Amino acid sequence: MSLEQNSVEQFVVEGLSCPSCIRKVEGALKENPKVGDARLNLSTQRLSVEWANDNHHDPDDSLLIIDILKKIGFNAYPLREKKNTSDETELKGLLRAIAVAGFAAANVMLLSVSDWFGADMGESTRQLFKWVSALIVLPAAAYAGLPFYRSAWSALRHKRLNMEVPISVAVILACGMSLAQAISGSGETYFDAAIMLLFFLLIGRYLDRKMRASAKSTAQNLVSHQSFFANVLNRDGSITKTMLEHVKIGDSIIVGSGERVPIDGCVIMGKSQIDASLITGETTPEEVCIGSKVYAGTINLGQPIDVKVEHSSGNTTLDEIIHLMENAEQNRAKYVRLADKAAGIYAPLVHLMALLTFLAWFFIAGIGWQSSLITAISVLIITCPCALGLAVPVVQVVASGRLFKAGVLLKSPDGLERLAEIDTVVFDKTGSLTLGTPQVDSFGTAMVKELQIAMTMASRSAHPLSRAFVAFCEAKKISSAEKVEEIEEEAGLGLRAIHEGCEYRLGNRKWCNIGDDHDQVSNHSEIWLVGPNNRTVKFTFKDKLRSDARETIDWFKQNNLDVIILSGDRLPVVMELADHLKVEHYFGEIKPQDKAKKIEELKQQGHKILMVGDGLNDAPALAAANVSISPSTAADISQTASDFVFLPQGLSSLVDAYKISQKSRRLVFTNFGFAALYNLIAVPFAALGFLTPLAAALAMSGSSIVVILNAMRLNLANPVDFGRIKK
Amino acid sequence: MNVLAFLIPVALLMGLGGLISFLWSLKSGQFDDLQGATYRALFEEDDIERDKSE
């Protein structure tokens, strides 16, 4: 690519859904004189911006890009980690190897087929064909086989056997033996088998690596979604937007109404309410005043506050949680992937069989070492794990495509295998079973016209309650009112507007001049609408259950999985919810550390656990569980800690993910079964010396096709639809 | 049999041509964004220019 390394910056862009997005984004950016070139990659959701001024740009320019994109409706974030170039070069190397192997395999097959079927071909022509084959295959195999040779060599140096060892041995021996046959002018050559083997295996390996790389880049994109700038208050009272990396301890920052607190600190001015549900799981907003501590990730619901940054002490809640999470993650690294398990059994077996064949022919049949060696090599060629190399990757690729359609992003390559083994599902409450954001619960005596006016006003505000209200109205198909004029927002209080000459106010009690004695003050958040003649309407908000939480839990229970609720929220709230969902095992008021401990306890009892959670307080538990999933609304750290991220509002994608994992596990095993069956049939023939190059070629491509078709069966399964079941 | 001496090299050269053009397209980044490429094909060259002036 023409883009140079140092003058390019990468961004993650959200909300790319339409084809014209590319044009919009690139067009808007290229307009700016500071931008030299902009290129959007739709597959990775990343944007490369090349600066016009090559040598230098200051960090504020990144904010400029983000602002430009925000104006046209896209959220962008600077890419946190450097682009992983080693992954990309490996993938490209594999593609090149596939191309070379494919070219060689196709051309050699042309020669081989005429050799096998050309009955009236002269001996010298046959010989010519063999030499041409050698000329094509030897360099191609030397190049295309490199990824395998390297891995095999490093395994052998560490005195281990992996899948690459039998592959390398088979390819090298097949080429060597065929060359010897070509020179001596007698016997069969296996050039086509050797290169075809490499071709199929390279495809399998490419798919495997591609999936790992895309899982990794999904993870990186998610990491970048953290809030990345803060509004720093300067001594002279001016405000500068600063990248988070450049904010120093002791700086004062302003957290506006409805904004997320970007960094840990202590309130030095102002009074507000903080929604800390992401950290503690507690849904009732917390009152903060001067001296209160606020944590990164919480949301300021009330008026703007000034916060003094005190992040680096290393003893903050956040640091402690991260530390816990890292500890828990180490245990998980011990998981051995299915393919590696299979290789551990398969590789020694293959070598042993080849050795036995050689010994049997040499000592028992006594046919001389050359002939015995040729038979032994043909055993190696035929047993080579062509189907085995494809068995897992193809299933995984098909499965991750299915997951994506179900709205689930796979973040760790072996997550799918671990998900298939679970027997217990542990749910967090806030944000996992519930939506985690306020939803309109009641709207009193509101008339449609009032709803329309209120919606028009609310749509001008970024406050979480306003947004919830707008979403509610949109769901109810309430259109915005016309002729609502002079809409003004007073941060932390409410909105004011004029409609048909009358003033309307939408906001909290104070804003609407409603005393605490009027209507009871409840635990739930509320906003009021005051219209002409002092008519008041009250809207209350509540954290609601996800629409299909009940069905999802029932489904898991029907399928003999234990369901447990583990929440940091108050016990009565958790109890009510558990009753409603008919979950017998639940725990409330649990600290983050204890959540992880609880998971460890369950694991020690032999349970395999799926943890579903979103809050910071869940992060250690997510890391401790065998496999974990979090919603895309979750705290950044939780998303980092989990293996899957699910996108839509419903929980049914959890069931989908579980079903897909189960099905793909079954398919992997049937694929292993096919591979074993094929060997069971083919090996005796090869060991007895009946193998012909034609049979080898047919067996190899046949078994690969069977394995791929088998994997495609995953696409036949239907996604769950609770709506349909209910009917 | 003389025809073979002509046909085999021709077949090989054609295959090599395909291989080289694939390797070239890989190198020039044409496979970096498969999803985006499907849409980019539909854009007019001057669309972005026109968007600017709007």
Side-chain angles (χ1 to χ4, degrees), chain A residues 10 12 17 82 89 154 200 262 264 271 281 306 348 412 437 463 558 565 576 630 720:
Chain A
Q10 297 253 347
V12 178
S17 49
K82 280 272 165 282
T89 39
S154 81
F200 283 131
D264 285 13
K271 210 172 157 189
D306 291 4
S412 74
T437 50
H463 193 278
Q558 273 162 25
I565 296 178
E576 190 192 322
S630 54
V720 278

Side-chain angles (χ1 to χ4, degrees), chain A residues 1 19 22-23 26-27 30-31 39-43 92 95-96 99-100 103 107 111 125 129 132 136, chain B residues 1 4 8 11-12 15-16 19 22-23 26-27 29 32-36 39-40 43 47-48 51-52:
Chain A
M1 284 215 292
I22 303 178
R23 214 171 60 185
E26 290 180 359
K30 281 177 188 163
E31 242 178 283
R39 190 144 178 106
L40 191 67
N41 187 327
L42 208 58
S43 320
K92 279 201 172 169
L95 259 186
R96 275 198 297 273
V100 170
F103 155 77
N107 281 286
L111 301 166
T125 321
F129 276 17
V132 176
I136 301 169
Chain B
M1 281 304 123
L4 280 182
I8 292 178
L12 283 181
L16 263 180
L19 178 66
F22 174 75
L23 292 180
L26 185 68
K27 201 174 168 165
D32 287 354
D33 180 15
L34 293 176
Q35 275 181 39
Y39 299 126
R40 277 180 203 275
F43 296 165
D47 266 357
I48 289 175
D51 278 2
K52 271 188 202 175

Side-chain angles (χ1 to χ4, degrees), chain A residues 624-684:
Chain A
N626 298 75
V627 57
S628 48
I629 181 164
S630 54
S632 55
T633 49
D636 314 303
I637 294 173
S638 309
Q639 292 193 21
T640 317
S642 55
D643 302 300
F644 299 90
V645 173
F646 66 97
L647 296 168
Q649 296 254 305
L651 277 172
S652 67
S653 46
L654 242 66
V655 176
D656 272 330
Y658 179 67
K659 273 168 96 179
I660 290 169
S661 77
Q662 287 264 303
K663 180 122 199 197
S664 56
R665 185 183 160 87
R666 267 204 305 280
L667 286 175
V668 165
F669 280 117
T670 44
N671 272 352
F672 282 158
F674 277 126
L677 183 74
Y678 147 80
N679 277 322
L680 226 56
I681 297 169
V683 167

Side-chain angles (χ1 to χ4, degrees), chain A residues 442-454:
Chain A
S442 72
F443 48 94
T445 55
M447 289 178 294
V448 176
K449 191 183 149 201
E450 283 165 336
L451 283 175
Q452 286 177 339
I453 295 169

Side-chain angles (χ1 to χ4, degrees), chain A residues 264-267 274 286 288-295 298 310 316:
Chain A
D264 285 13
C266 168
V267 178
I274 293 281
E286 189 186 322
V288 292
C289 53
I290 295 174
S292 312
K293 295 226 185 292
V294 286
Y295 300 104
T298 56
E310 39 184 45
T316 59

Side-chain angles (χ1 to χ4, degrees), chain A residues 393-466:
Chain A
V394 177
V395 172
Q396 278 183 334
V397 166
V398 179
S400 70
R402 279 295 308 243
L403 281 176
F404 188 77
K405 272 186 212 151
V408 181
L409 294 176
L410 178 62
K411 255 192 63 223
S412 74
D414 50 2
L416 209 58
E417 289 178 17
R418 284 187 267 122
L419 181 59
E421 296 173 352
I422 57 158
D423 60 7
T424 307
V425 188
V426 179
F427 284 97
D428 164 54
K429 187 183 78 71
T430 318
S432 305
L433 280 174
T434 68
L435 287 166
T437 50
Q439 307 288 316
V440 175
D441 185 41
S442 72
F443 48 94
T445 55
M447 289 178 294
V448 176
K449 191 183 149 201
E450 283 165 336
L451 283 175
Q452 286 177 339
I453 295 169
M455 180 201 174
T456 317
M457 290 166 77
S459 61
R460 297 293 179 89
S461 159
H463 193 278
L465 292 183
S466 299

Side-chain angles (χ1 to χ4, degrees), chain A residues 612-630:
Chain A
V612 188
D614 76 317
L616 266 179
N617 58 339
D618 300 317
L622 286 167
N626 298 75
V627 57
S628 48
I629 181 164
S630 54

